[in-house]
Amino acid sequence: MINIEPFSGSYTSCDVQFLLKRVEMETTPVEIKEQLIQSGKKHYSEMISREDEPTSWHLDLFEKSIQQEGQRLAKEVLQLAIFLTQQIQTPIVLISLVRAGVPLGVMLQRALKDLGKETYHYGVSIIRDRGIDTVAMDWIENKHGKNSIVFVDGWTGKGAITNQLQQSLALRQGYQDKPKLIVLADPCGCAWASASDDDWLIPFGIMGAPVSGMISRSIWLNGDLHGCIQCNHLEKYDCSQYLADIVDQHRRQIDATKLPNVSFNPDKKHELFQISQQVIQHFAEKYKITNLNRIKPGIAEATRAVLRRIPDYVLVRDRNDPDVKLLIYLAESKNIKIIEDNKNLGNYRAITIIKKVSDE
């Protein structure tokens, strides 16, 4: 078995243990990366672009999102934590999907410990078309078994990562058909459990490394642990523990007895999934898109796509929606066309369409 040395980035060791290999690699300009991805010459996970420093406007909107949504975030974290204690009697093993799942995983880890639950939390990479990190999974299963593993992600977009997780676990013995994937928001209806189905302004959805323990998105290293880069150039913007601490403060003031239960409603989930598929298909046909990975639905995914990719359009349900203010600001700063569409976005409030820069 490959030797693994867990680390915690800018979190504490009690918050999370990243099962990743820290590497150094040359960054690839976004324009070149986009051409290589779309031409099929390289997989997105084999390259990394330098993550830009957030502007003062970006930081200001992030702070406002915490002020506006911090209480909701705390309430929903507590709801999910209580749900997990009801579902799993043994010690819980949280596996956060790097990066978007990590902030939620840290918040759940803290909430579960406050509820008196024995919990372990790991950050593990999953890469579309490549699967979950089997080296990291072998290490966790060898240490904890499989029965009490719960996977954590921040939200669902169109279900690509959920589908990838399901495919990956199907190759491993001892997992159910539907992975125990818990998310904060599940607008496409494909997670095991979620606090809501809303597409809303999740504070950690609009920031990258500074709110994810100061690590990059994961990098494919064939036959080894998946890798990451430590984003030291963003160190002065680090707010990973800051956000988790604020959520803790709000959460500890909530009367848990008055919270609604996290409910299972398979029929509603199925309906949401069908609507999501119709939305994706509509825009695929409208913009003649054959590779659905160019469609990034949901506020968080749409925002990240503008920050990391070469977009063609940004679609919003309502330009005056305060939750898409940062997205519109970023799109305008890059001269990306913004289209208001209040009929065809389904459960989403924003979608980014990636520009076609090479033959698919």
Side-chain angles (χ1 to χ4, degrees), residues 6-19 22 96 102-103 105-107 109-111 113 119-123 210-215 238-245 248 252:
F7 66 99
S8 302
S10 63
Y11 288 111
T12 69
S13 57
C14 296
D15 282 332
V16 64
Q17 296 282 298
F18 288 117
L19 304 184
R22 283 171 286 191
S96 287
V102 172
V106 168
M107 294 168 195
Q109 166 85 341
R110 293 182 177 192
K113 285 190 178 296
T119 319
Y120 303 90
H121 180 213
Y122 301 101
V211 79
S212 305
M214 296 304 294
I215 63 166
D238 183 21
C239 48
S240 304
Q241 288 199 61
Y242 166 71
L243 176 58
D245 289 346
D248 285 348
R252 288 167 181 157

Coordinates of all heavy atoms in Angstrom, one line a residue, residues 6-19 22 96 102-103 105-107 109-111 113 119-123 210-215 238-245 248 252:
P6 N -1.4 12.2 5.7 CA -2.4 13.2 5.7 C -2.0 14.6 6.2 O -1.0 14.7 7.0 CB -3.5 12.6 6.7 CG -3.1 11.2 6.8 CD -1.6 11.1 6.7
F7 N -2.6 15.6 5.6 CA -2.3 17.0 6.1 C -3.6 17.7 6.1 O -4.6 17.3 5.7 CB -1.3 17.6 5.2 CG -1.8 17.9 3.8 CD1 -2.3 19.2 3.4 CD2 -1.8 16.9 2.8 CE1 -2.7 19.4 2.1 CE2 -2.3 17.1 1.5 CZ -2.7 18.4 1.2
S8 N -3.6 18.9 6.7 CA -4.8 19.7 6.9 C -4.9 21.0 6.3 O -5.9 21.8 6.5 CB -5.1 19.9 8.4 OG -5.1 18.6 9.1
G9 N -3.9 21.4 5.4 CA -3.9 22.7 4.8 C -4.0 23.8 5.8 O -3.2 23.7 6.8
S10 N -4.8 24.7 5.7 CA -5.0 25.8 6.6 C -6.0 25.6 7.7 O -6.4 26.4 8.5 CB -5.2 27.2 5.9 OG -6.5 27.1 5.3
Y11 N -6.6 24.4 7.6 CA -7.5 23.9 8.7 C -6.7 23.3 9.8 O -5.5 23.1 9.7 CB -8.5 22.9 8.2 CG -9.6 23.4 7.3 CD1 -9.6 23.1 5.9 CD2 -10.6 24.2 7.8 CE1 -10.6 23.6 5.1 CE2 -11.6 24.7 6.9 CZ -11.6 24.4 5.6 OH -12.6 24.8 4.8
T12 N -7.4 23.0 10.9 CA -6.7 22.2 12.0 C -6.8 20.7 11.7 O -7.7 20.3 10.9 CB -7.3 22.5 13.4 OG1 -8.7 21.9 13.4 CG2 -7.5 24.0 13.6
S13 N -6.0 19.9 12.3 CA -6.0 18.5 12.1 C -7.3 17.9 12.6 O -7.7 16.8 12.2 CB -4.8 17.8 12.8 OG -4.8 18.1 14.2
C14 N -8.0 18.6 13.5 CA -9.3 18.1 14.0 C -10.4 18.3 13.0 O -11.4 17.7 13.0 CB -9.7 18.8 15.3 SG -8.6 18.4 16.7
D15 N -10.2 19.3 12.1 CA -11.2 19.6 11.1 C -11.2 18.7 9.9 O -12.3 18.2 9.5 CB -10.9 21.0 10.6 CG -11.4 22.2 11.5 OD1 -12.3 21.9 12.3 OD2 -10.8 23.2 11.5
V16 N -10.1 18.3 9.4 CA -10.0 17.5 8.2 C -8.6 17.0 8.0 O -7.6 17.6 8.4 CB -10.4 18.3 6.9 CG1 -9.5 19.5 6.6 CG2 -10.6 17.4 5.7
Q17 N -8.5 15.8 7.4 CA -7.3 15.2 7.0 C -7.3 15.0 5.4 O -8.1 14.2 4.9 CB -7.0 13.9 7.6 CG -6.9 13.9 9.2 CD -5.5 14.4 9.6 OE1 -4.5 13.8 9.3 NE2 -5.5 15.5 10.3
F18 N -6.5 15.8 4.7 CA -6.5 15.7 3.3 C -5.7 14.4 2.9 O -4.5 14.3 3.3 CB -5.9 16.9 2.6 CG -6.8 18.1 2.6 CD1 -6.4 19.2 3.3 CD2 -8.0 18.1 2.0 CE1 -7.2 20.4 3.4 CE2 -8.8 19.3 2.0 CZ -8.4 20.4 2.7
L19 N -6.2 13.6 2.1 CA -5.5 12.4 1.5 C -5.1 12.7 0.1 O -5.8 12.2 -0.9 CB -6.3 11.1 1.7 CG -6.8 10.8 3.1 CD1 -7.6 9.4 3.1 CD2 -5.7 10.8 4.1
R22 N 0.8 16.5 -2.2 CA 1.2 17.9 -2.6 C 2.3 17.9 -3.6 O 3.3 17.2 -3.4 CB 1.6 18.6 -1.3 CG 0.4 19.1 -0.5 CD 0.8 19.6 0.9 NE 1.3 18.6 1.8 CZ 1.6 18.8 3.1 NH1 1.4 20.0 3.6 NH2 2.0 17.8 3.8
S96 N -15.1 14.1 2.3 CA -15.5 15.3 1.5 C -14.8 15.2 0.2 O -13.6 14.9 0.1 CB -15.1 16.5 2.2 OG -15.9 16.8 3.3
V102 N -15.3 20.2 0.9 CA -14.5 20.3 2.1 C -15.1 21.3 3.2 O -15.2 20.9 4.3 CB -13.0 20.6 1.8 CG1 -12.2 20.9 3.0 CG2 -12.4 19.5 1.0
P103 N -15.5 22.5 2.8 CA -16.0 23.4 3.8 C -17.2 22.9 4.5 O -17.3 23.0 5.7 CB -16.3 24.7 3.0 CG -15.4 24.7 1.8 CD -15.3 23.2 1.5
G105 N -17.9 19.7 4.8 CA -17.5 18.6 5.7 C -16.9 19.0 7.0 O -17.1 18.4 8.0
V106 N -16.1 20.1 6.9 CA -15.5 20.7 8.2 C -16.7 21.2 9.1 O -16.6 20.9 10.3 CB -14.6 21.9 7.8 CG1 -14.2 22.6 9.1 CG2 -13.3 21.4 7.2
M107 N -17.7 21.8 8.5 CA -18.8 22.3 9.4 C -19.6 21.2 10.0 O -20.0 21.2 11.1 CB -19.7 23.2 8.5 CG -19.0 24.5 8.1 SD -20.0 25.3 6.8 CE -18.8 26.5 6.1
Q109 N -18.3 18.1 10.6 CA -17.4 17.5 11.5 C -17.6 18.2 12.9 O -17.7 17.6 13.9 CB -16.0 17.6 11.0 CG -14.9 17.3 12.0 CD -14.6 15.8 12.2 OE1 -15.4 15.0 11.8 NE2 -13.5 15.5 12.7
R110 N -17.5 19.5 12.9 CA -17.6 20.3 14.1 C -19.0 20.1 14.8 O -19.1 20.0 16.0 CB -17.4 21.8 13.8 CG -15.9 22.1 13.4 CD -15.7 23.5 13.2 NE -14.4 23.9 12.8 CZ -13.9 25.1 12.8 NH1 -14.7 26.1 13.2 NH2 -12.6 25.4 12.5
A111 N -20.1 20.2 13.9 CA -21.4 20.0 14.5 C -21.6 18.6 15.1 O -22.2 18.5 16.1 CB -22.4 20.3 13.3
K113 N -19.4 16.6 16.3 CA -18.6 16.5 17.6 C -19.4 17.2 18.7 O -19.4 16.8 19.8 CB -17.2 17.1 17.4 CG -16.3 16.1 16.6 CD -14.9 16.6 16.6 CE -14.0 15.6 15.9 NZ -14.0 14.2 16.5
T119 N -16.5 11.1 15.1 CA -16.5 11.4 13.7 C -15.1 11.5 13.2 O -14.2 11.9 13.9 CB -17.2 12.7 13.4 OG1 -18.4 12.8 14.2 CG2 -17.6 12.8 11.9
Y120 N -14.9 11.0 11.9 CA -13.6 11.2 11.2 C -13.9 11.9 9.9 O -14.9 11.6 9.3 CB -13.0 9.8 11.0 CG -12.7 9.0 12.3 CD1 -13.7 8.2 12.7 CD2 -11.6 9.2 13.0 CE1 -13.6 7.5 13.9 CE2 -11.4 8.5 14.2 CZ -12.4 7.6 14.6 OH -12.2 6.9 15.8
H121 N -13.0 12.8 9.5 CA -13.3 13.5 8.3 C -12.0 13.6 7.4 O -10.9 14.0 7.8 CB -13.7 15.0 8.7 CG -13.9 15.8 7.5 ND1 -13.7 17.2 7.5 CD2 -14.5 15.5 6.2 CE1 -14.0 17.7 6.3 NE2 -14.5 16.7 5.5
Y122 N -12.2 13.2 6.1 CA -11.1 13.1 5.2 C -11.5 13.9 3.9 O -12.7 13.9 3.5 CB -10.8 11.7 4.8 CG -10.4 10.8 6.0 CD1 -11.3 9.9 6.6 CD2 -9.1 10.9 6.5 CE1 -10.9 9.2 7.7 CE2 -8.7 10.2 7.6 CZ -9.6 9.3 8.2 OH -9.3 8.6 9.3
G123 N -10.5 14.5 3.3 CA -10.7 15.2 2.0 C -10.1 14.3 0.9 O -8.9 14.0 1.0
P210 N -9.0 30.0 -0.9 CA -9.0 30.6 0.4 C -10.1 30.1 1.3 O -10.1 30.3 2.5 CB -9.3 32.1 0.0 CG -8.7 32.3 -1.3 CD -9.0 30.9 -2.0
V211 N -11.1 29.4 0.8 CA -12.2 28.9 1.7 C -12.2 27.3 1.7 O -13.0 26.7 2.2 CB -13.6 29.4 1.3 CG1 -14.1 28.7 0.1 CG2 -14.5 29.4 2.4
S212 N -11.1 26.8 1.1 CA -11.0 25.3 1.0 C -9.7 24.8 1.6 O -9.1 23.8 1.1 CB -11.2 24.8 -0.4 OG -12.4 25.3 -1.0
G213 N -9.1 25.4 2.6 CA -7.9 24.9 3.2 C -6.7 25.3 2.5 O -5.6 24.7 2.7
M214 N -6.8 26.2 1.5 CA -5.7 26.7 0.7 C -5.0 25.7 -0.2 O -3.8 25.7 -0.5 CB -4.6 27.3 1.6 CG -5.0 28.5 2.4 SD -5.7 29.8 1.3 CE -4.2 30.3 0.5
I215 N -5.9 24.8 -0.7 CA -5.4 23.8 -1.7 C -6.1 24.0 -3.1 O -7.2 24.6 -3.1 CB -5.6 22.3 -1.3 CG1 -7.1 22.0 -1.1 CG2 -4.8 22.0 0.0 CD1 -7.4 20.6 -1.0
D238 N -6.8 33.8 3.1 CA -7.3 32.6 3.7 C -8.5 32.9 4.6 O -8.3 33.7 5.6 CB -6.2 31.9 4.4 CG -6.6 30.6 5.0 OD1 -7.7 30.0 4.5 OD2 -6.0 30.1 5.9
C239 N -9.6 32.3 4.4 CA -10.8 32.5 5.3 C -11.4 31.1 5.6 O -12.6 31.1 5.9 CB -11.7 33.5 4.6 SG -12.1 33.1 2.9
S240 N -10.7 30.1 5.4 CA -11.3 28.7 5.6 C -11.8 28.5 7.1 O -13.0 28.2 7.2 CB -10.2 27.7 5.4 OG -9.6 27.8 4.1
Q241 N -11.0 28.8 8.1 CA -11.4 28.6 9.4 C -12.4 29.8 9.8 O -13.3 29.6 10.6 CB -10.2 28.6 10.4 CG -9.4 27.3 10.3 CD -8.6 27.1 11.5 OE1 -9.1 27.0 12.6 NE2 -7.3 27.0 11.3
Y242 N -12.1 30.9 9.3 CA -13.0 32.1 9.6 C -14.4 31.8 9.3 O -15.3 32.0 10.1 CB -12.5 33.3 8.7 CG -13.4 34.5 8.7 CD1 -13.6 35.3 9.8 CD2 -14.1 34.8 7.5 CE1 -14.5 36.4 9.7 CE2 -14.9 35.9 7.4 CZ -15.1 36.7 8.5 OH -16.0 37.8 8.4
L243 N -14.7 31.2 8.1 CA -16.1 30.9 7.7 C -16.7 29.8 8.6 O -17.8 29.9 9.1 CB -16.2 30.5 6.3 CG -17.6 30.0 5.8 CD1 -18.6 31.1 6.0 CD2 -17.6 29.6 4.3
A244 N -15.9 28.8 8.9 CA -16.3 27.7 9.8 C -16.6 28.2 11.2 O -17.6 27.8 11.8 CB -15.3 26.6 9.8
D245 N -15.8 29.1 11.7 CA -16.0 29.7 13.0 C -17.3 30.5 13.1 O -18.0 30.4 14.1 CB -14.8 30.6 13.4 CG -13.5 29.8 13.7 OD1 -13.6 28.6 13.8 OD2 -12.5 30.4 13.7
D248 N -20.1 28.1 13.2 CA -20.2 27.5 14.5 C -20.9 28.5 15.5 O -21.8 28.0 16.3 CB -18.8 27.3 15.1 CG -18.1 26.1 14.5 OD1 -18.8 25.3 13.8 OD2 -16.9 26.0 14.7
R252 N -24.5 27.4 17.3 CA -24.6 27.1 18.7 C -25.7 27.9 19.4 O -26.0 27.7 20.6 CB -23.3 27.4 19.4 CG -22.3 26.2 19.1 CD -20.8 26.6 19.4 NE -19.9 25.5 19.1 CZ -18.6 25.6 18.8 NH1 -18.1 26.8 19.0 NH2 -17.9 24.6 18.5

